[in-house]
């Protein structure tokens, strides 16, 4: 079911923004988009041209036909961080059991930046960000080929899960 931005309460996006700020990072932009490849692709392209270092995409990582985030974003990756999804599924398994296998959450680097694809559920967003956000500056530092003090802490958050 599609919702307009005024009808849709973006609980996961709100939570992600709060956790990013609590971790002393910045939220440069926040956008709510439908599960559409063209719009997601454009958002990633804009991010890669921006001064932000991390893009957090929320939603569209499941197995429904409308879940297109992962296949849209992976072609941008220069290096995929397979361990990100593996660890998130492991942590989620401890809470929700075998349903954790339904997420295709992933992360990767491109042009010295980090792109993270999280599931749309608030609990998955919380698990992922609380568990991994401390590594984001280190990943950006390594991917960008410079010291972590130069990497800064600009984070861009994007949410596009708009189905019920």
């Amino acid at each position: 079911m599609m919702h307009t931005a005024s009808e849709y309460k973006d609980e996961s996006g709100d939570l992600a923004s709060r956790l990013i700020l609590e971790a002393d990072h910045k939220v440069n932009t926040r956008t709510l988009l439908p599960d559409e490849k063209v719009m997601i692709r454009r958002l990633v392209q804009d991010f890669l041209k921006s001064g932000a270092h991390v893009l957090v995409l929320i939603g569209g990582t499941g197995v429904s036909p409308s879940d297109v985030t992962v296949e849209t974003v992976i072609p941008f990756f220069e290096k995929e961080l397979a361990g990100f999804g593996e660890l998130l599924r492991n942590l989620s398994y401890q809470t929700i059991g075998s349903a954790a296998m339904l997420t295709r959450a992933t992360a990767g680097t491109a042009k010295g930046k980090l792109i993270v694809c999280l599931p749309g559920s608030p609990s998955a967003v919380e698990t992922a960000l609380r568990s991994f956000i401390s590594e984001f500056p280190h990943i950006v530092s390594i991917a960008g080929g410079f010291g972590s003090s130069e990497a800064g802490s600009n984070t861009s958050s994007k949410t596009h899960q708009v189905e019920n």
Side-chain angles (χ1 to χ4, degrees):
M1 178 176 196
M2 298 298 289
H3 299 279
T4 65
S6 61
E7 295 174 328
Y8 185 76
K9 178 158 175 32
D10 185 18
E11 186 178 342
S12 293
D14 293 344
L15 176 61
S17 291
R18 183 173 55 80
L19 293 172
I20 291 166
L21 293 171
E22 284 177 6
D24 292 327
H25 298 287
K26 297 174 189 167
V27 176
N28 290 346
T29 60
R30 184 171 159 193
T31 306
L32 186 62
L33 296 176
D35 287 325
E36 293 182 13
K37 288 182 179 184
V38 171
M39 295 178 84
I40 297 167
R41 192 175 300 117
R42 187 173 307 128
L43 181 104
V44 174
Q45 290 168 334
D46 290 347
F47 161 71
L48 292 173
K49 295 175 191 169
S50 77
H53 299 288
V54 178
L55 175 63
V56 177
L57 299 120
I58 301 171
T61 64
V63 296
S64 93
S66 65
D67 290 328
V68 297
T69 299
V70 174
E71 46 278 316
T72 304
V73 173
I74 283 180
F76 288 98
F77 290 171
E78 293 165 3
K79 306 280 184 187
E80 186 170 5
L81 302 173
F84 178 88
E86 294 165 1
L87 285 171
L88 180 58
R89 282 182 286 280
N90 185 314
L91 291 169
S92 297
Y93 177 78
Q94 297 171 29
T95 306
I96 64 169
S98 60
M101 78 170 97
L102 297 175
T103 183
R104 298 175 302 130
T106 191
T109 60
K111 298 188 179 190
K113 299 173 181 229
L114 174 63
I115 301 171
V116 178
C117 301
L118 301 179
S121 79
S123 62
V125 168
E126 183 161 18
T127 297
L129 290 178
R130 288 198 188 278
S131 300
F132 306 128
I133 199 166
S134 63
E135 293 299 324
F136 290 3
H138 181 67
I139 295 167
V140 170
S141 172
I142 293 169
F146 43 72
S148 59
S149 63
E150 296 174 52
S153 58
N154 290 329
T155 303
S156 180
S157 175
K158 178 267 181 185
T159 305
H160 74 274
Q161 187 67 27
V162 293
E163 57 188 10
N164 208 357

